[in-house]
């Protein structure tokens, strides 16, 4: 059932009363034991957060067109509905911020799910799109299907917009996200950052102090153990390291570096792995250099499929006409040079595929009067007057001298 059709036939929602959940009280130690203090949220990892935000920014940057199927091809429709979805789908924000939150929920907080509740006016017109807080949303199995609970209310699938990512193989209407795949990487990157912070807290090299080791303490096992712990136990970074004078003669004092600890190489591998799982190029998380072909491939293989899933959910839930559909425009996302744009535009103008004002729009320039007619090569005469050229012999000419 379409959301519009359900809205017209559904009774007003009823508020539930009574207890809607349980509250647990626990001491700080018990809370740590219950929640596992070693757990690292994916959203706390800068590399994973950057990947999700970058995909969200690119999807949010695409204009959303309301299209109609016609016998001459798909044509864009401009009305209040198209403006609502493309400009301000939510009253409190813009399209790019709204879409960014949707994509971030799909990848991170929602574990592959982002849910939006449409609100309608009394006349049945779309009034607003309210995104759910996915940290407070529960998706429950209901036999073959499912339902959603949020703020003490139950919502059926045809009442909401449900955007998913990485769908479950057995239940493709529910997303699974990347939680299990990225949890270990997030923990490793978090630990590397902690190690680096601790290592850089005192950048000066440790000092080695030679002391007299031939003392009475070496006579007993307990004494030797005490001196061993004293001399060779790991000291906090920056503190002196004491060794017996007779044990060794230090020749060089050299502090450990990140290369010695292999931190840099480990971080680089983990960053690239995290980027590969989410699907973004490694240079977006600070590894490697920008590559045009890799960037364009990222748009085709990662950004567009996620955008298409959003398009299709908006189309099947918000539109009544079978000839209408939503489509995002990805052309502005690709990496083009001005030379590439000019070359393609000129070729299309020469073949009367686009007019010269459309070509100017591609290059970011304002339109000019007299350039909106389709023209073709040979002094750029209007397309309708191609047959009037004398040199073609179609208007009384001899086909040679014109």
């Amino acid at each position: 059932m379409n959301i519009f059709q359900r809205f017209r036939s559904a009774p007003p929602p009823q508020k539930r009363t009574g207890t809607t959940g349980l509250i647990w009280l626990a001491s700080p130690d018990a809370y740590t034991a219950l929640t596992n203090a070693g757990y690292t949220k994916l959203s706390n990892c800068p590399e994973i957060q950057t990947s999700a935000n970058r995909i969200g920014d690119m999807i949010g940057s695409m204009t959303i067109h309301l299209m109609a199927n016609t016998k001459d091809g798909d044509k864009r429709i401009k009305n209040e509905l198209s403006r609502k979805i493309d400009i301000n789908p939510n009253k409190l924000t813009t399209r790019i911020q709204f879409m960014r939150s949707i994509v971030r929920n799909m990848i991170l907080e929602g574990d592959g799910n982002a849910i939006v509740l449409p609100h309608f006016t009394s006349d049945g017109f779309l009034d607003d799109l309210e995104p759910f807080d996915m940290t407070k949303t529960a998706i429950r199995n209901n036999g073959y299907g499912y339902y959603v609970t949020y703020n003490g209310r139950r919502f059926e699938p045809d009442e909401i917009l449900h955007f998913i990512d990485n769908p479950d193989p057995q239940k493709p209407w529910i997303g699974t996200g990347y939680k299990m795949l990225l949890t270990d990487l997030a923990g490793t990157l978090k630990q590397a950052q902690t190690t680096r912070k601790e290592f850089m807290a005192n950048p000066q090299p440790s000092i080695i102090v030679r002391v007299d080791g031939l003392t009475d303490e070496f006579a007993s096992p307990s004494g030797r153990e005490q001196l061993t712990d004293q001399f060779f136990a790991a000291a906090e970074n920056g503190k002196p390291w004491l060794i017996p004078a007779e044990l060794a003669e230090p020749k060089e004092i050299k502090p450990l570096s990140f290369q010695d600890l292999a931190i840099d190489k480990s971080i680089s591998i983990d960053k690239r792995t995290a980027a590969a799982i989410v699907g973004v190029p490694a240079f977006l998380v600070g590894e490697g250099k920008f590559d045009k072909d890799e960037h364009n491939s990222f748009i085709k293989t990662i950004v567009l499929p996620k955008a298409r899933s959003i398009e299709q959910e908006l189309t099947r839930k918000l539109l009544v006409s079978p000839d209408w559909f939503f489509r995002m425009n990805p052309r502005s996302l690709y990496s083009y040079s001005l030379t590439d744009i000019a070359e393609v535009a000129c070729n299309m103008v020469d073949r009367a595929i686009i007019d010269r004002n459309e070509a100017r729009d591609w290059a970011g320039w304002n339109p000019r009067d007299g350039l909106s007619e389709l023209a073709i090569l040979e002094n750029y005469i209007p397309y309708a007057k191609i047959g009037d050229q004398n040199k073609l012999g179609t208007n009384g000419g001899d086909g040679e001298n014109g």
Side-chain angles (χ1 to χ4, degrees):
M1 181 183 294
N2 187 278
I3 288 184
F4 277 133
Q5 297 169 342
R6 183 180 182 93
F7 170 78
R8 293 184 180 124
S9 61
Q14 298 180 355
K15 293 185 178 180
R16 296 186 177 182
T17 59
T19 303
T20 59
L22 296 175
I23 299 176
W24 286 25
L25 299 178
S27 65
D29 294 338
Y31 176 81
T32 301
L34 289 171
T35 59
N36 186 2
Y39 174 72
T40 300
K41 293 175 61 178
L42 295 183
S43 57
N44 290 341
C45 179
E47 291 78 14
I48 299 174
Q49 185 178 139
T50 299
S51 301
N53 290 342
R54 184 56 177 163
I55 295 175
D57 286 340
M58 299 188 78
I59 292 180
S61 297
M62 290 188 283
T63 55
I64 305 176
H65 297 169
L66 177 59
M67 308 295 294
N69 291 316
T70 68
K71 63 179 182 179
D72 296 324
D74 300 332
K75 293 186 178 180
R76 185 178 179 183
I77 300 175
K78 295 182 180 180
N79 55 23
E80 286 300 316
L81 176 60
S82 65
R83 186 184 187 280
K84 176 65 180 176
I85 298 297
D86 187 44
I87 304 299
N88 60 329
N90 181 272
K91 294 179 179 179
L92 302 179
T93 187
T94 60
R95 180 198 71 230
I96 186 171
Q97 301 300 336
F98 181 79
M99 285 298 170
R100 181 175 180 174
S101 70
I102 295 299
V103 174
R104 183 181 170 111
N105 275 328
M106 289 168 58
I107 298 176
L108 296 180
E109 281 82 1
D111 290 336
N113 301 275
I115 296 176
V116 174
L117 177 64
H119 294 280
F120 302 96
T121 65
S122 57
D123 297 329
F125 293 103
L126 181 64
D127 183 52
D128 201 24
L129 296 177
E130 175 193 355
F132 281 6
D133 181 353
M134 294 308 299
T135 62
K136 302 177 181 178
T137 305
I139 301 175
R140 311 290 187 187
N141 290 323
N142 185 23
Y144 175 74
Y146 71 99
Y147 64 91
V148 174
T149 58
Y150 182 71
N151 284 341
R153 288 184 57 190
R154 171 172 170 161
F155 298 91
E156 299 299 327
D158 56 357
E159 293 181 274
I160 56 176
L161 299 174
H162 187 181
F163 307 103
I164 68 171
D165 189 31
N166 195 21
D168 185 288
Q170 282 70 44
K171 301 175 182 178
W173 49 86
I174 298 178
T176 59
Y178 306 91
K179 183 176 181 180
M180 298 305 296
L181 296 173
L182 290 172
T183 298
D184 291 341
L185 282 174
T188 303
L189 291 170
K190 182 70 175 179
Q191 182 60 46
Q193 293 169 4
T194 303
T195 303
R196 182 166 51 185
K197 182 178 179 181
E198 177 67 23
F199 193 81
M200 295 298 293
N202 252 314
Q204 69 271 19
S206 298
I207 299 175
I208 299 177
V209 180
R210 296 179 63 190
V211 297
D212 186 5
L214 298 178
T215 59
D216 295 338
E217 284 81 355
F218 278 107
S220 65
S222 60
R224 288 193 295 271
E225 182 178 356
Q226 179 181 356
L227 288 174
T228 301
D229 292 339
Q230 179 181 354
F231 294 147
F232 300 104
E236 184 179 344
N237 184 34
K239 288 189 176 181
W241 184 23
L242 305 178
I243 65 171
E246 296 78 11
L247 181 63
E249 177 72 24
K251 298 297 183 181
E252 182 181 4
I253 300 176
K254 182 180 179 182
L256 289 175
S257 65
F258 290 134
Q259 286 76 17
D260 297 326
L261 298 177
I263 291 179
D264 283 349
K265 186 175 182 180
S266 174
I267 291 177
S268 176
I269 294 174
D270 288 342
K271 282 185 175 181
R272 290 180 179 274
T273 304
I277 292 176
V278 179
V280 303
F283 60 77
L284 289 182
V285 295
E287 286 298 318
K289 297 181 180 179
F290 173 80
D291 184 86
K292 176 181 176 181
D293 294 333
E294 188 177 3
H295 172 79
N296 291 338
S297 176
F298 159 61
I299 295 173
K300 293 179 182 178
T301 59
I302 301 299
V303 175
L304 283 185
K306 296 182 190 299
R308 295 292 179 252
S309 69
I310 295 175
E311 294 172 1
Q312 293 173 10
E313 182 70 1
L314 292 173
T315 298
R316 76 187 189 99
K317 294 287 186 68
L318 295 181
L319 297 180
V320 177
S321 173
D323 297 327
W324 288 10
F325 63 96
F326 287 107
R327 184 174 69 188
M328 294 184 178
N329 182 16
R331 187 166 60 86
S332 61
L333 300 183
Y334 291 103
S335 179
Y336 298 118
S337 67
L338 187 58
T339 303
D340 295 334
I341 295 175
E343 182 178 358
V344 173
C346 288
N347 288 334
M348 297 181 74
V349 167
D350 291 345
R351 291 163 175 77
I353 298 175
I354 62 175
D355 61 51
R356 284 163 287 179
N357 272 334
E358 289 176 309
R360 291 176 63 88
D361 180 65
W362 281 18
W365 298 328
N366 293 330
R368 300 186 65 175
D369 294 338
L371 298 183
S372 295
E373 288 188 32
L374 289 176
I376 201 166
L377 191 61
E378 183 59 39
N379 298 326
Y380 293 100
I381 65 173
Y383 180 77
K385 296 184 178 181
I386 295 176
D388 295 341
Q389 300 178 91
N390 289 335
K391 78 173 191 175
L392 296 180
T394 57
N395 194 28
D398 57 11
E400 295 181 358
N401 299 323

